[in-house]
Amino acid sequence: LVFLPGASEISRCHEKLAPYCAHHGLDLFTLHGELDKSRQDAAVAPSDRPKVILSTNVAETSVTIDDVATVIDAGLARVARHDPFTGLAQLELRPISRASAEQRAGRAGRTRPGHCVRLYARADFERRSPREAPEVARSELAEALFELAAFEAGDPGTFRWFEAPPEAALERAQTLLRGLAAIDESHALTDLGRQMQPWPLHPRLAQVMARAPAEGCAELAAGVCAVLAERSLRRSDRPAPRPDDADPLFELGLLGLEGKGRRPSRGGDASFDPRVAQAVRQGRGALLDRLRKRGAELRPGKDPRRALRALLADAFFDKVAKVRGEGDRLEAQFLDGRAIPLAPACVVREDRWLVALRAQVRQSGTHRREEIGAACAVEVDHLLESRLEEIEELVDYRFDAQSQRVQAHARLMLGALEIEASRVAGDPESIAACLREGLRSLGVDKLVDREALEALRARLGFAHDAGFGLPEDFELDAALAQIVDAACTGCDRLSQVREQDPLSLLRVQIESEAGARLDDFAPASITLPGGRRLRVDYALGRPPSVASFLQDFFGSSRGPTIGGGRVPLVLHLRAPNRRDVQVTTDLAGFWERHYPTLRKQLMRRYPKHDWPEDPVTAKPPAPRPRGRRRR
């Protein structure tokens, strides 16, 4: 007796084992829930020859097989869990519990000595959970709560459950039923809920069947609900043969059930699971019979496909998504903002809005990947009409770093999804706030000259040491940030802030707080007696200085001072080649002690220049007008 997870694994194993069993005189049988009764009976019946039975966990507790000598256990099973997207049941491949493994081992040796071979490590066995979680703890409860409402059981939170389900699962189920308009706040069925009650389907699909006759798509709805009530007809790893607007409608076309008299498609993706196909045909037939008995109108309306897509969008209201990406890499972003890829087989590949009808988990080793296995396109106009109360209009302000301006967009939002957007004028205060944030991200270099700012910082540091009366807590960068923030008022772009010259405004504020002119303590430049204007260099860590040709200081017996006349500037006295010949703060001492010797050297090197014997009484050269420097 070999335990395998499901029918597909059994089928593949049967194909591989058949030649071996035939050669060695072994009978080979399969056993799972999708076989008819005669084939199941043949598998468990006594036999004169040795036999191998490939079985799902149906042989674990449901069927007794005598004379089993050996059990081979793969340690896996497909466990029914609810689909987190649809609420419909799906089978998930999972390791079995220790209790289940022991139950399987007990199938061997019931009537004679036997043994069990487990195809997994002992350490793996010991790490497994002691027993399976009860179904009520892992199932979606919408169907159960819908039946309780039909029985007028009241609040399911106070219902006397045999095993109480998790509160979160109860909440999710009640939210779903209210979203389907199936129950009211008192947990009683609504009028629509009573119309859904006769349908033996999940409440989502029951709502589709209850509304379909009035929308002119009853026959089509029966087929789609039959498709969605079964597992996928096609393999999810095969690329979609062509785009379409709904996977269940596409699959109905493969089966020739989309419209009366339509033959099955035999194109590139006509291969499908025959067992699922048979179940879909039977389910569709049963739903159509029920429609006829109820006297429902089966004649299709003007556009039954469009009507059915709208019904599916309402039934799967919480699975609305917006498609993004290109080519084979498409993903659906949902109302809560998360995004999940579309499976290759999903045919909805050209529409930008959809509802997810079926989700699946693809597992390769330890890697798990969620995918949208089946979907249906939905029109934006239908969302705007049917979800009007949930749609919010938000004005979004964004600073565009490329254009360096704030753009305001009015956005219609459904959850985290943008339905449409348009440019608007926006609120001036919000625009200014967004501009401030944008400018902070760009940095101060985009607004002011960095060298000029650092020069001002150095001047301010010197002035403070020289007695410039700024408050102790004054901070240059914070003051500049406040000025920039204030300048953003009424603006929507960086250029408008830059035009206000934040550095000039900063200087005004500095002098206002100090109660004195900064130039009186730390001038940006000084003018020599001969008219030459020199920039004062306030390098951090060094005393302030000026630099110019030696001749520009003729006629001066002492050098210029700053800091209220208390701090002499360091003078860089330069030769005509612009190189320093002396650095000093004592101009009078330089004239007296060093100039005579330097004069002789400079006269020989630069004979065209004037080198007077008494520089203190000599007239400095007139300032040369600034112009383009010759190359």
Side-chain angles (χ1 to χ4, degrees):
L1 177 61
V2 182
F3 284 100
L4 294 168
S8 59
E9 290 83 2
I10 286 174
S11 177
R12 291 197 297 273
C13 191
H14 186 280
E15 182 181 349
K16 298 290 185 182
L17 277 180
Y20 177 90
C21 291
H23 178 73
H24 290 280
L26 302 173
D27 290 337
L28 180 61
F29 294 93
T30 60
L31 180 61
H32 54 81
E34 295 178 13
L35 297 176
D36 57 46
K37 187 174 185 301
S38 62
R39 294 178 65 186
Q40 292 187 24
D41 290 344
V44 302
S47 173
D48 295 332
R49 299 202 323 161
K51 63 181 177 180
V52 177
I53 304 171
L54 308 178
S55 175
T56 61
N57 57 0
V58 69
E60 186 179 313
T61 55
S62 304
V63 177
T64 299
I65 306 173
D66 293 329
D67 233 19
V68 175
T70 303
V71 164
I72 299 177
D73 179 16
L76 299 169
R78 281 193 165 80
V79 180
R81 294 182 181 273
H82 80 279
D83 186 322
F85 286 89
T86 64
L88 302 176
Q90 68 173 10
L91 295 176
E92 184 177 287
L93 187 65
R94 295 182 61 83
I96 60 173
S97 66
R98 294 200 302 269
S100 184
E102 289 165 358
Q103 181 77 14
R104 289 182 178 187
R107 301 289 95 185
R110 291 171 60 88
T111 56
R112 59 175 173 150
H115 63 278
C116 173
V117 178
R118 290 178 177 142
L119 304 182
Y120 48 100
R122 180 179 295 276
D124 182 4
F125 171 81
E126 292 173 351
R127 283 196 302 268
R128 298 188 178 196
S129 60
R131 60 190 59 82
E132 295 290 343
E135 188 173 353
V136 74
R138 51 186 166 87
S139 296
E140 198 263 353
L141 301 175
E143 287 184 88
L145 296 199
F146 186 73
E147 290 198 23
L148 286 180
F151 290 135
E152 300 181 359
D155 185 355
T158 60
F159 184 76
R160 295 177 63 188
W161 299 87
F162 178 72
E163 284 186 273
E167 289 186 16
L170 281 177
E171 241 178 81
R172 285 194 298 269
Q174 290 181 84
T175 300
L176 173 59
L177 292 176
R178 291 193 183 104
L180 293 171
I183 63 171
D184 57 25
E185 293 299 323
S186 64
H187 312 286
L189 291 182
T190 61
D191 290 341
L192 178 57
R194 283 186 284 274
Q195 295 174 44
M196 294 161 54
Q197 187 181 353
W199 296 101
L201 298 166
H202 186 276
R204 292 188 194 270
L205 302 183
Q207 192 207 59
V208 172
M209 291 304 302
R211 296 177 59 196
E215 300 297 329
C217 58
E219 188 174 2
L220 205 56
V224 165
C225 289
V227 168
L228 292 176
E230 298 295 330
R231 69 174 186 268
S232 181
L233 185 69
R234 296 171 294 131
R235 287 182 55 179
S236 62
D237 57 348
R238 291 182 178 174
R242 65 175 188 272
D244 209 324
D245 56 10
D247 282 280
L249 289 172
F250 178 80
E251 294 182 1
L252 282 180
L254 290 180
L255 298 175
L257 300 176
E258 185 181 350
K260 291 183 177 179
R262 184 167 175 175
R263 293 184 177 182
S265 166
R266 294 298 174 189
D269 193 46
S271 60
F272 44 77
D273 189 326
R275 294 185 297 261
V276 179
Q278 180 61 25
V280 168
R281 289 189 176 96
Q282 291 175 351
R284 174 180 177 272
L287 293 175
L288 287 175
D289 287 344
R290 191 174 289 261
L291 282 169
R292 293 187 186 99
K293 289 177 182 177
R294 296 173 63 83
E297 176 61 63
L298 298 185
R299 185 182 305 169
K302 184 178 180 180
D303 191 346
R305 286 179 68 99
R306 183 179 183 184
L308 183 63
R309 291 200 308 270
L311 290 182
L312 289 172
D314 293 342
F316 293 82
F317 64 93
D318 51 338
K319 308 305 173 190
V320 172
K322 191 174 184 179
V323 181
R324 61 190 187 187
E326 294 181 356
D328 296 333
R329 297 188 175 183
L330 297 177
E331 62 179 13
Q333 182 184 11
F334 289 88
L335 297 170
D336 59 1
R338 63 177 174 164
I340 297 180
L342 270 62
C346 182
V347 299
V348 185
R349 312 200 76 80
E350 294 183 345
D351 296 88
R352 285 299 158 190
W353 288 87
L354 57 77
V355 286
L357 304 176
R358 183 183 288 126
Q360 60 201 25
V361 176
R362 186 183 297 184
Q363 188 157 354
S364 176
T366 58
H367 179 67
R368 289 167 57 87
R369 174 184 169 92
E370 278 189 321
E371 293 179 331
I372 307 302
C376 170
V378 59
E379 296 177 6
V380 172
D381 288 347
H382 179 73
L383 293 178
L384 290 171
E385 181 181 344
S386 62
R387 312 283 291 269
L388 185 61
E389 293 182 358
E390 301 171 55
I391 292 173
E392 293 183 275
E393 183 175 7
L394 305 176
V395 180
D396 182 28
Y397 298 90
R398 295 181 183 176
F399 179 77
D400 181 42
Q402 186 172 359
S403 64
Q404 298 182 344
R405 66 178 299 174
V406 175
Q407 296 178 348
H409 293 86
R411 303 180 186 277
L412 292 182
M413 304 294 294
L414 180 60
L417 305 180
E418 178 186 285
I419 296 178
E420 62 181 39
S422 58
R423 287 282 299 273
V424 293
D427 171 54
E429 290 187 8
S430 300
I431 290 174
C434 182
L435 181 59
R436 292 183 188 107
E437 289 299 319
L439 296 186
R440 290 190 190 103
S441 66
L442 286 179
V444 73
D445 290 352
K446 294 291 184 180
L447 282 169
V448 300
D449 181 82
R450 170 62 68 176
E451 290 186 6
L453 176 61
E454 293 308 316
L456 179 60
R457 190 190 308 278
R459 288 175 65 196
L460 201 59
F462 169 79
H464 183 269
D465 294 339
F468 192 60
L470 269 179
E472 288 294 332
D473 60 351
F474 181 84
E475 210 283 316
L476 185 72
D477 293 319
L480 179 59
Q482 289 178 353
I483 287 171
V484 170
D485 284 354
C488 288
T489 303
C491 300
D492 68 351
R493 65 196 72 190
L494 179 143
S495 60
Q496 294 172 330
V497 179
R498 191 188 289 121
E499 287 169 1
Q500 299 180 54
D501 194 356
L503 271 187
S504 295
L505 297 174
L506 179 59
R507 282 197 55 184
V508 171
Q509 180 178 336
I510 288 171
E511 294 179 349
S512 173
E513 294 199 24
R517 293 180 68 248
L518 181 61
D519 284 347
D520 292 341
F521 285 83
S525 62
I526 55 100
T527 303
L528 298 178
R532 171 76 70 181
R533 190 173 185 83
L534 303 180
R535 181 179 65 84
V536 181
D537 182 13
Y538 295 89
L540 293 174
R542 298 200 304 264
S545 63
V546 292
S548 191
F549 296 113
L550 184 150
Q551 293 98 326
D552 291 331
F553 294 90
F554 288 169
S556 300
S557 60
R558 59 191 297 267
T561 59
I562 58 174
R566 296 190 299 274
V567 180
L569 288 170
V570 175
L571 308 179
H572 289 255
L573 306 177
R574 293 178 172 175
N577 64 355
R578 300 180 182 274
R579 292 184 179 178
D580 293 349
V581 295
Q582 186 72 14
V583 179
T584 182
T585 57
D586 182 9
L587 184 59
F590 168 74
W591 293 140
E592 180 181 351
R593 294 187 295 274
H594 303 289
Y595 177 72
T597 303
L598 281 172
R599 174 175 175 268
K600 296 175 182 179
Q601 298 173 3
L602 295 172
M603 284 179 66
R604 288 195 299 270
R605 192 176 299 173
Y606 306 102
K608 293 183 180 180
H609 291 263
D610 187 20
W611 304 104
E613 291 186 10
D614 186 5
V616 177
T617 60
K619 185 177 181 181
R624 290 178 291 276
R626 293 186 178 182
R628 292 185 179 179
R629 185 180 298 177
R630 290 183 180 179
R631 294 185 178 179

